[in-house]
Amino acid sequence: MNEGIDSQLARMRQYFQSGATLPVDFRKKQLKNLQAALKKFEAEIFEALRSDLNKQPEESWVTEIGFVHAEISHTLKHLHQWMKPERVSTNLLNFPSRSRLYKDPLGVVLVIGPWNYPLQLLLAPVIGAIAAGNAVVMKPGEFSPATAAVVTKLISETFAPEYILCVNGEGATVVPRLMDAFRFDHVFFTGSTHVGKSIYAKAAEKLIPVTLELGGKSPCIVEADANIRIAAKRIALTKFSNAGQMCVSPDYLLVHEDVRAQLEKELQHWILKFYGGEHEKDFGRIVNEPAMKRLSGYLKQGRVVAGGEVDHEKKTIGPTLIADVDPDSPIMQEEIFGPLLPVISFRSFEEAKAIVARNPDPLAFYLFTESAEIEKRWMKEVSFGGGCINNAAWHLTNYHLPFGGRGNSGIGAYHGKYSFDTFSHRKAVMKTPTWFDPSIKYPPFKGKLNLFKKIIR
């Protein structure tokens, strides 16, 4: 890390306090600058994502660059409205006052990105921070070094360092150093639950508010009445995207025993069609050798139904279905974060729900059914961050929905207006006129008890 980080952070605080980031025109200009920079660096970003994770340009566009463009466009369209003071009701006790909520920026914020979607998951919250009028320190994921280098170059050429600063290095060293050196006004972290806990503890020392976008074991339920062909197609697409290295990837499959054989057959068909043959070379790469060893170990914890090909030299594992897993084995207790999909049968709702309950509050939940009653019961009885019915993971792309977890899967939410809200303080203000000043509000209060009870009730 740059030895002058303390002075750099101090300059960022001074810049924010100057009021330079407050005007709506300034915020919009910065968002447009970011959009232009993404276009300028598009070829370099494609190359970096290919280098880091073997992502193809089409996948990189849909899940990384295009995603960020859509967030910026939506924000630019609505920012002026989001910034307006919001009128809210005033109770009878305070008549004839008027009440408003003003949207204040938080200040200087820290955004810590992960390695698996190293552009999108870093820049999406930054868009919200810019829109809300903050100055931003960015920490890219170090396990995607090529993308981190391009992002750092993009940011340094587009923004003044006292406004947006990109800091690189090993997260375990850099992040505590940053948080020791400076009191940020908010910390936004995307990554593992384990690291999220340490950041939460560090932030608590200075009472810094946090948003934690974590992970967990996201279940995918396939009921007996589901459209099995469509379910298999959509599960195969999302489970094995980015080689399964996605926080909202279906982590394990719970399928009704009556349709299990049919679903496994369909899954194998779509896996081969999407990722086999000539497409095999385009399948995602596992991020590093420790991840390869961890994922390879999972293969021994069940019966491989399909896939299971491991190449340590190329850092690849083929799309894999695994049966006969022990519920107490690591593969069913830890977030897999790779192209392995355990398939488990169930006979009843209660049996399936008990399996889900072993890993409560998942980040995502997916249900395939044609029954409104079954849908209603699952939605009512299982808590989770967000999810889909008859789909998987695509709720993440809808910027009208908040994205975030609960419990072990995270704190807070973002995307679209929810990003703006995350990086804003809703300042409550009540304005009272002077032309009406009833004496009942002033002492002495003796004899006014019954009247007070009526008014306040």
Side-chain angles (χ1 to χ4, degrees), residues 12 24 68 102 112 216 243 252 296 311 341 343 365 371 391 399:
M12 294 187 78
V24 64
V68 176
Y102 292 83
I112 306 164
Y252 60 97
S296 300
D311 188 326
L341 182 61
V343 183
F365 177 89
S371 167
N391 209 337
Y399 42 68

Side-chain angles (χ1 to χ4, degrees), residues 69 165 211 232 324 456:
H69 275 298
L165 179 68
T211 300
D324 304 333
I456 292 175

Side-chain angles (χ1 to χ4, degrees), residues 225 369-377:
D225 69 328
T369 182
E370 298 297 316
S371 167
E373 286 302 312
I374 291 175
E375 172 190 326
K376 183 178 179 180
R377 189 173 185 189

Side-chain angles (χ1 to χ4, degrees), residues 99-149:
S99 302
R100 285 182 172 84
L101 297 174
Y102 292 83
K103 287 70 176 286
D104 280 0
L106 298 178
V108 182
V109 302
L110 173 62
V111 176
I112 306 164
W115 55 262
N116 58 325
Y117 288 87
L119 184 85
Q120 179 232 125
L121 292 178
L122 178 64
L123 291 185
V126 169
I127 291 166
I130 291 173
N134 300 277
V136 188
V137 177
M138 300 166 56
K139 166 62 179 73
E142 67 265 29
F143 296 136
S144 297
T147 309

Side-chain angles (χ1 to χ4, degrees), residues 123-194:
L123 291 185
V126 169
I127 291 166
I130 291 173
N134 300 277
V136 188
V137 177
M138 300 166 56
K139 166 62 179 73
E142 67 265 29
F143 296 136
S144 297
T147 309
V150 175
V151 169
T152 301
K153 182 180 176 183
L154 182 156
I155 293 298
S156 65
E157 291 188 14
T158 307
F159 304 105
E162 64 268 22
Y163 175 49
I164 299 182
L165 179 68
C166 209
V167 179
N168 286 279
E170 185 181 350
T173 302
V174 170
V175 172
R177 170 75 177 89
L178 285 169
M179 295 178 71
D180 283 338
F182 188 76
R183 189 197 183 280
F184 290 96
D185 297 292
H186 195 90
V187 174
F188 189 109
F189 169 77
T190 302
S192 70
T193 299
H194 171 72

Side-chain angles (χ1 to χ4, degrees), residues 257-309:
E257 63 178 8
D258 291 349
V259 294
R260 174 171 178 163
Q262 183 186 355
L263 180 65
E264 286 186 355
K265 183 178 178 181
E266 285 286 346
L267 279 169
Q268 291 179 54
H269 168 77
W270 290 111
I271 287 171
L272 183 61
K273 187 173 181 64
F274 292 162
Y275 309 110
E278 63 181 82
H279 307 301
E280 188 174 338
K281 68 181 186 302
D282 295 330
F283 192 66
R285 182 185 302 114
I286 304 304
V287 65
N288 54 30
E289 187 56 32
M292 282 291 298
K293 290 180 179 178
R294 178 180 59 82
L295 292 167
S296 300
Y298 288 151
L299 291 172
K300 303 170 186 176
Q301 295 172 17
R303 176 173 57 87
V304 174
V305 175
E309 305 86 359

Side-chain angles (χ1 to χ4, degrees), residues 206-269:
K206 297 181 179 179
L207 293 179
I208 300 172
V210 299
T211 300
L212 302 176
E213 297 296 341
L214 310 177
K217 297 194 71 64
S218 298
C220 183
I221 317 295
V222 180
E223 292 280 1
D225 69 328
N227 183 321
I228 300 302
R229 179 177 178 274
I230 293 296
K233 194 175 183 181
R234 294 176 181 176
I235 292 166
L237 168 66
T238 51
K239 170 60 189 178
F240 302 110
S241 175
N242 200 30
Q245 298 169 119
M246 178 166 61
C247 60
V248 292
S249 172
D251 201 86
Y252 60 97
L253 191 56
L254 287 174
V255 54
H256 195 280
E257 63 178 8
D258 291 349
V259 294
R260 174 171 178 163
Q262 183 186 355
L263 180 65
E264 286 186 355
K265 183 178 178 181
E266 285 286 346
L267 279 169
Q268 291 179 54
H269 168 77

